[in-house]
Amino acid sequence: MTNIKNILVWCPNWIGDIIMGIPAMIALRKRYPKANITAVVRVPGSEILKGNPVVNEVIPYRNRGDGDNCLRENIKLIKYLRKKDIDMAVVLPNSFRSALMVLMTGARYRIGHVTDGRGLFLTTGIKVTDYERNKHRVEYFLDIVRAIGCKIPRKRPSLRLHPEKRRFALDYLHKKGVSDSDFLVGIHPGASKPPRAWSSERFGRLCERLYRELNAKIILFGGSDDKGRVSEIEANTKQRLITAVGETDLMQMAALIERCHIFVGNDSGIMHIAAIVKTPIVAIFGPGRPEKTGPLCAREKIEIVSKEYPCSPCRQRFFKECKPSISNKPPCIEDIEVADVMSGVERLIERRVVRHGQTSLSMPPS
């Protein structure tokens, strides 16, 4: 494929998948350094790519909501993209809709995986075997750009945080009474589906141990829909928690996570944000598998807590493939104890990737 001037990347919907798609975009940029690369990204994940030099333009979009409004927005988007005279479109998600939308842009070359009966919409289709489906998502997305001759990047993706977001994080923490010598642990108790989330009651008991054994200050992250979980966590600890749930936008949350010594959370998009701001992670995996969706950071900065159930990763059609526990969780996550997660925190500290008691709330380098 020669004379490629304008490239469209249709990004996945989920925050974690957007992050895991960044290496494919880096490979595209290296293969076509002078091309204009436009990324279509669902809100709020669009914030992740703003300011990233791998793309020239980020187009935020919403694909849910009122039917008529959604249709009008889609038509408006297609009209805008058709004016860009797109030479090549890379379709990262598997959905029928994403391939159809790309076809309507008029792109000459359209590359993606052949799934959901959308092969007729693609000019270069990559077949998906069971082996392909079980690859790490980074490799799965990289296979798309490998098909057009892109070389695979070695560096891990990082997140460019605007100084304003970092100043927000500093001010926020100071106002909440976090001093330069405090050991700060960030916790995200949410997940894309409730059965994927570790018990709020156990998160509360974990907070109790973090304070008692490590004298940690704890900050909770999440969106407005996580407020119920926060109440349950607070009911299971006597310690005062800093609650940033529903109080930040995505990039403000990322800047706060960057200030944490350790991040503890479920297999989720916020876990992937912790990875690309280089905060050491204790990741709780139940139905998912780290071999497929594990965080993208240095191996020594990750502790995976999982019970290695032979049925994982499952199709997550809760609860048709397994019986729920009394707390409505699948056994693979129900069997994870507070001691298991606490041990993950301790191993990170022992590994010296966490400088306990030696932090500074000064601004990190941009």
Side-chain angles (χ1 to χ4, degrees), residues 8 10 38-41 57-63 70-84 86 97 101-102 104-105:
L8 170 66
W10 197 281
T38 300
V40 174
V41 198
E57 181 182 5
V58 176
I59 302 177
Y61 83 103
R62 292 175 174 82
N63 67 348
C70 185
L71 179 60
R72 282 195 293 269
E73 287 298 314
N74 286 339
I75 292 171
K76 183 179 177 181
L77 174 60
I78 292 301
K79 285 182 177 179
Y80 177 77
L81 291 173
R82 288 186 72 87
K83 291 177 182 178
K84 297 182 78 68
I86 295 166
R97 177 183 176 277
M101 292 286 283
V102 161
M104 290 190 290
T105 67

Side-chain angles (χ1 to χ4, degrees), residues 109-127:
Y109 304 110
R110 302 175 299 279
I111 304 98
H113 285 109
V114 179
T115 57
D116 291 355
R118 62 188 200 158
L120 291 175
F121 301 157
L122 304 172
T123 58
T124 301
I126 298 97
K127 292 183 180 179

Side-chain angles (χ1 to χ4, degrees), residues 117-365:
R118 62 188 200 158
L120 291 175
F121 301 157
L122 304 172
T123 58
T124 301
I126 298 97
K127 292 183 180 179
V128 181
T129 64
D130 287 341
Y131 170 75
E132 297 291 330
R133 288 184 189 279
N134 289 316
K135 281 184 173 181
H136 194 284
R137 296 299 285 177
V138 169
E139 292 298 321
Y140 187 77
F141 293 139
L142 282 170
D143 281 345
I144 300 173
V145 296
R146 282 190 183 100
I148 54 174
C150 292
K151 293 183 179 179
I152 305 311
R154 291 184 178 180
K155 70 174 186 177
R156 297 182 180 92
S158 59
L159 186 61
R160 295 199 168 205
L161 286 169
H162 193 279
E164 177 187 335
K165 302 298 182 182
R166 284 177 164 150
R167 281 192 293 270
F168 165 85
L170 291 173
D171 292 343
Y172 185 95
L173 292 173
H174 279 135
K175 288 175 182 176
K176 296 292 184 178
V178 179
S179 71
D180 288 1
S181 60
D182 285 327
F183 180 57
L184 187 62
V185 177
I187 288 179
H188 176 241
S192 58
K193 298 176 182 178
R196 289 167 56 98
W198 196 45
S199 163
S200 298
E201 178 265 335
R202 293 182 189 180
F203 269 121
R205 289 195 283 124
L206 174 68
C207 291
E208 191 74 19
R209 286 194 61 177
L210 288 167
Y211 175 80
R212 188 174 65 248
E213 298 175 27
L214 298 174
N215 196 29
K217 287 195 173 179
I218 298 157
I219 180 169
L220 302 179
F221 299 111
S224 298
D225 55 350
D226 290 314
K227 288 184 177 180
R229 292 189 179 98
V230 169
S231 298
E232 293 172 358
I233 291 170
E234 290 175 330
N236 284 279
T237 179
K238 297 177 182 178
Q239 309 310 323
R240 177 181 171 271
L241 307 177
I242 302 169
T243 302
V245 173
E247 295 185 0
T248 68
D249 62 30
L250 192 63
M251 292 299 99
Q252 288 171 338
M253 186 193 303
L256 285 168
I257 292 172
E258 184 185 48
R259 305 309 311 161
C260 295
H261 291 79
I262 290 178
F263 172 89
V264 181
N266 300 302
D267 173 19
S268 70
I270 307 305
M271 173 197 71
H272 287 284
I273 285 179
I276 60 174
V277 297
K278 298 179 172 59
T279 298
I281 298 167
V282 178
I284 303 169
F285 274 78
R289 297 300 306 141
E291 294 85 357
K292 192 172 180 180
T293 59
L296 308 183
C297 58
R299 183 64 191 89
E300 64 271 16
K301 286 192 170 187
I302 308 168
E303 275 296 323
I304 302 294
V305 182
S306 173
K307 287 301 181 180
E308 301 287 342
Y309 265 63
C311 52
S312 293
C314 68
R315 296 181 182 180
Q316 300 187 33
R317 295 172 180 172
F318 308 108
F319 285 95
K320 297 178 180 179
E321 298 169 303
C322 63
K323 294 181 179 180
S325 68
I326 193 169
S327 59
N328 208 38
K329 303 287 182 186
C332 55
I333 200 160
E334 180 68 18
D335 286 354
I336 295 173
E337 300 290 347
V338 173
D340 299 322
V341 179
M342 191 67 193
S343 294
V345 172
E346 292 166 348
R347 285 192 294 271
L348 285 176
I349 294 172
E350 290 168 1
R351 209 175 291 148
R352 298 183 183 276
V353 294
V354 180
R355 298 183 183 276
H356 185 188
Q358 297 180 13
T359 186
S360 171
L361 289 182
S362 59
M363 290 283 283

